[in-house]
Amino acid sequence: MHRFPTGKMLFDLYHQDPDEADRLLFGRRTYPDRRGFLKNAGLAAMGALVGAAIPFHRNIPAHFIPVALASEPAIPGKDGLTVLNDRPMCAETPPHLLDDAITPTERHFVRNNGLMPQDLDASRWRLAIDGLVDRPVTLGIDDLGARFEVVTRALALECAGNGRAFFDPKADGEQWTYGAVACSEWTGVRLSDVLTAAGLQPGAVYTAHYGADTHVSGPESGLPISRGIPVTKAMDGHSLIAFAQNGQPIHPLNGGPLRLIVPGWPGSCSQKWLTRIEIRDQVHDGPKMTGTSYRLPNRSVAPGEAVDEKDFRIIESMPVKSLITHPATGHRTADDEIEVRGHAWTGEGRVDKVDLSFDFGATWKRASLDEPVNAYAWQNWRASIAFPGSGYYEVWARATDSRGVSQPHAIAWNPRGYLNNAMHRVAVYVE
Ligand SMILES: Nc1nc2c(c(=O)[nH]1)N[C@H]1C(S)=C(S)[C@@H](COP(=O)(O)O)O[C@H]1N2
Ligand SMILES: [Mo]
């Protein structure tokens, strides 16, 4: 029997499976079948949530949540995220809420391609390692912690589609602006240690990652996403099989109880709700490995131009990028000098410098930049900016990495709107 003890749970259920939520609450399967009424357990639960009996409950349509509950957090355990889509759930964090050096779990963005698994019991979770290995093995989360060294690392994770909203013409996919990036502290075991124990066989070239989430159109439609990485990347010692996020079990929407973190590469490589890693003798061909998914044409293309599938390349390491987390864009100040701060990160190597401009790029001022706390953590920076008088200013941030590459003013269009690492700009009004 389902119960609805909290509004959070109700919201959760509506996000995961609105039809099932309606069936439980209203006793009908799908909208627009209007015969059902808010009934029994559902009626009692809804009454408890709004704090009173609902005299006209028979008039409440399916999919309808009382406005009194609108102040409930839209996503359980998340704070201030902007929901882009609720099926699958995709939510990003406004830049000014990413100000912390380590992103609190409640501000870590969510990118789901399918529906979350229902059963997230950590004590019964199993991870299979198979394919081209000498000793295929199935491990529980306790086994991982007992058999391998447990490490904690601050690791930046960014969706390859972050910044897609700024492509013109629009590129297909979730319209992420700035906030599909975070740097939480992840605890787990090294992927390389687990693969070494399993014994990679000659000819092992690629991993394939599998999770327990299901396709939005139902389980018969296959997996929502299954990506992989070259064995060389998997074995470099930086990728984790993680079971904790910021010292707590991983948030269910961030892939708890078990997920991969593959730092420096598109977030999609970091399989959530991880159940299996297969070792292959060729590049993985799972859902979202092929076609235009997480791939870029090997040449620049005009919007709308047809590109042959063979001309696409899998995106590997992510480009250098930075974010201004203070002030928030639109900031009004009476001071003529303010502190500007944020983070910078890159897919390989490290960030060497961050420069700021408040005169549309005519002059630049070097920010003070922290060392990364460990490899693949984002780096914090800050600078004081003195404005010459009142008026409208834009602060621009431009990071340069150890590959010698800087962020551009704008990037060329690509079919799916990936890797937009154009400089972040915030508006400041000096009064
Ligand atoms: N099983 C599974 N793993 C997944 C996804 C998913 O939909 N299902 N989304 C991927 C994508 S595209 C990204 S950007 C990251 C996002 O991680 P987060 O939701 O914890 O921020 O998870 C990746 N791992
Ligand atoms: Mo992503």
Side-chain angles (χ1 to χ4, degrees):
M1 240 336 259
H2 280 72
R3 294 184 313 131
F4 297 93
T6 68
K8 288 180 170 197
M9 203 169 154
L10 180 65
F11 271 88
D12 204 20
L13 190 60
Y14 265 101
H15 283 308
Q16 277 185 26
D17 192 344
D19 294 339
E20 177 65 4
D22 267 355
R23 197 186 62 76
L24 287 164
L25 280 167
F26 293 87
R28 58 190 151 193
R29 188 152 276 285
T30 49
Y31 188 79
D33 174 352
R34 306 191 136 271
R35 282 163 309 171
F37 300 111
L38 197 57
K39 59 159 201 180
N40 305 333
L43 179 56
M46 199 75 104
L49 292 178
V50 299
I54 308 174
F56 292 115
H57 64 83
R58 282 173 170 258
N59 297 344
I60 299 181
H63 280 43
F64 212 83
I65 299 182
V67 69
L69 302 181
S71 60
E72 280 287 316
I75 316 174
K78 295 287 171 184
D79 170 35
L81 270 59
T82 307
V83 176
L84 303 184
N85 188 353
D86 64 3
R87 192 182 160 90
M89 170 61 76
C90 291
E92 67 171 322
T93 315
H96 69 280
L97 296 183
L98 287 171
D99 196 39
D100 301 85
I102 298 294
T103 309
T105 301
E106 58 270 24
R107 295 191 173 160
H108 196 290
F109 74 101
V110 175
R111 199 294 184 240
N112 287 355
N113 287 266
L115 303 179
M116 275 176 63
Q118 302 286 324
D119 181 1
L120 299 175
D121 184 345
S123 66
R124 286 188 287 120
W125 201 265
R126 291 292 175 271
L127 170 66
I129 311 288
D130 58 25
L132 276 186
V133 292
D134 292 330
R135 294 169 292 280
V137 65
T138 299
L139 299 157
I141 293 176
D142 287 349
D143 302 328
L144 287 168
R147 291 181 42 181
F148 303 99
E149 185 188 353
V150 174
V151 296
T152 296
R153 300 276 183 272
L155 299 171
L157 184 73
E158 184 180 18
C159 181
N162 198 22
R164 177 180 291 134
F166 306 115
F167 283 96
D168 181 22
K170 258 174 92 141
D172 258 10
E174 302 296 340
Q175 297 298 303
W176 305 104
T177 64
Y178 301 105
V181 61
C183 183
S184 282
E185 243 175 28
W186 299 96
T187 299
V189 300
R190 292 184 192 87
L191 173 60
S192 55
D193 288 350
V194 175
L195 296 183
T196 300
L200 289 177
Q201 292 186 352
V205 302
Y206 224 82
T207 63
H209 313 150
Y210 300 89
D213 47 342
T214 53
H215 202 282
V216 281
S217 330
E220 59 287 350
S221 301
L223 296 173
I225 186 168
S226 169
R227 294 185 36 87
I229 53 176
V231 159
T232 46
K233 173 72 176 169
M235 292 303 288
D236 75 4
H238 294 291
S239 293
L240 300 185
I241 300 175
F243 41 73
Q245 176 182 19
N246 297 320
Q248 298 290 321
I250 297 174
H251 189 288
L253 285 164
N254 295 123
L258 194 69
R259 76 170 299 172
L260 274 171
I261 298 288
V262 177
W265 284 38
S268 54
C269 299
S270 296
Q271 196 81 27
K272 304 196 283 187
W273 309 293
L274 182 71
T275 55
R276 178 181 174 215
I277 300 171
E278 178 196 14
I279 304 300
R280 295 167 56 100
D281 64 357
Q282 54 184 294
V283 176
H284 186 36
D285 55 3
K288 309 224 165 166
M289 281 301 300
T290 56
T292 59
S293 294
Y294 302 106
R295 292 169 169 238
L296 286 178
N298 58 6
R299 57 188 166 85
S300 60
V301 298
E305 183 186 336
V307 187
D308 202 310
E309 205 187 312
K310 69 170 178 13
D311 293 334
F312 280 87
R313 297 288 174 270
I314 296 173
I315 298 170
E316 300 198 327
S317 86
M318 295 285 286
V320 63
K321 199 163 171 183
S322 62
L323 198 59
I324 300 167
T325 58
H326 181 84
T329 193
H331 183 72
R332 290 179 180 274
T333 177
D335 304 332
D336 48 14
E337 185 154 355
I338 61 167
E339 189 187 60
V340 178
R341 56 179 186 263
H343 318 291
W345 62 95
T346 185
E348 219 53 68
R350 43 172 290 159
V351 175
D352 278 347
K353 57 187 186 190
V354 173
D355 295 297
L356 302 174
S357 178
F358 58 87
D359 56 9
F360 301 96
T363 61
W364 294 86
K365 177 179 183 176
R366 182 80 25 100
S368 115
L369 174 68
D370 294 346
E371 302 279 312
V373 293
N374 53 246
Y376 297 102
W378 66 19
Q379 293 167 245
N380 308 306
W381 55 263
R382 68 206 62 74
S384 167
I385 290 197
F387 298 102
S390 61
Y392 174 85
Y393 297 91
E394 288 189 7
V395 179
W396 297 1
R398 182 183 66 192
T400 304
D401 69 13
S402 51
R403 295 179 280 199
V405 183
S406 297
Q407 291 180 257
H409 289 269
I411 75 158
W413 189 89
N414 66 77
R416 294 292 297 279
Y418 291 125
L419 304 192
N420 187 350
N421 67 332
M423 288 179 244
H424 188 201
R425 301 154 56 190
V426 300
V428 177
Y429 296 85
V430 180
E431 301 183 320

